[in-house]
Amino acid sequence: MSDCIFCKIIAGEIPSAKVYEDDRCLAFKDLDPKAPIHILVVPKAHIQSVDAVTPENSGEAAHILEVIPGIMKELGVKTGYRVVTNIGPDAGQTVPHLHFHVLAGQEMGWTPA
Ligand code: AMP
Ligand code: ZN
C-alpha cells in the first residue's frame, strides 16, 4: 500500500526506532508513548486490521503473538504487559495497517471504553 505510513516504515522510507524485525513482522517504538514502554508490532504484509484477518493471512497475526513475549523479555519486562489492537473508528484506529500496541513499565488501569 503506497500511502500507508506503516508500509513506508517497513520499507525504510520513514525512520522508526526499531526494536525487533524478522521476515514477517517489525516492532518499533510508538511516537507518542502511553506508557514507559510502548511499542507497535506490525505484520510486513498490509492487513487493514483484525477485521481483515482471514484463514489465508491469520498466520501473520499469530506470528506476532508468538514473538511478543521474546521482545518483552529482551526489553527487560518482568511484571506484565498489555497487548491492544484498535479496529475501526469507534476504537480509535488511526493507522489502517494491523498493529498490536504493547504497553509495559508501569501498573496500568483498566478503562478501555
Ligand atoms: P491506533 O490509533 O491504534 O491506530 O495507533 C496508531 C499508533 O501509531 C499511535 O499510537 C501513534 O502514536 C503511532 N504512530 C503514528 N505514526 C507513527 C510513526 N511514524 N512512528 C511510530 N509510531 C507512530
Ligand atoms: Zn500498510
Side-chain angles (χ1 to χ4, degrees):
M1 280 275 288
S2 56
D3 62 345
C4 170
I5 187 170
F6 288 173
C7 282
K8 286 183 177 165
I9 287 175
I10 291 159
E13 292 163 16
I14 293 176
S16 69
K18 196 187 297 183
V19 298
Y20 174 84
E21 182 169 19
D22 64 27
D23 57 331
R24 299 172 83 178
C25 71
L26 177 70
F28 52 94
K29 291 184 184 171
D30 196 292
L31 263 189
D32 180 20
K34 306 292 190 295
I37 293 172
H38 184 174
I39 66 160
L40 301 172
V41 194
V42 307
K44 288 192 169 175
H46 181 86
I47 300 168
Q48 189 142 334
S49 74
V50 165
D51 225 29
V53 170
T54 64
E56 287 71 38
N57 67 19
S58 62
E60 306 312 307
H63 177 70
I64 287 175
L65 296 180
E66 282 176 32
V67 302
I68 284 172
I71 298 171
M72 290 296 100
K73 201 170 175 192
E74 198 64 34
L75 293 175
V77 174
K78 291 186 172 67
T79 48
Y81 55 90
R82 179 169 289 160
V83 179
V84 175
T85 187
N86 294 318
I87 299 129
D90 277 4
Q93 183 180 9
T94 57
V95 180
H97 180 128
L98 177 64
H99 50 283
F100 292 89
H101 297 261
V102 189
L103 302 138
Q106 66 177 45
E107 254 185 65
M108 286 173 259
W110 181 241
T111 53

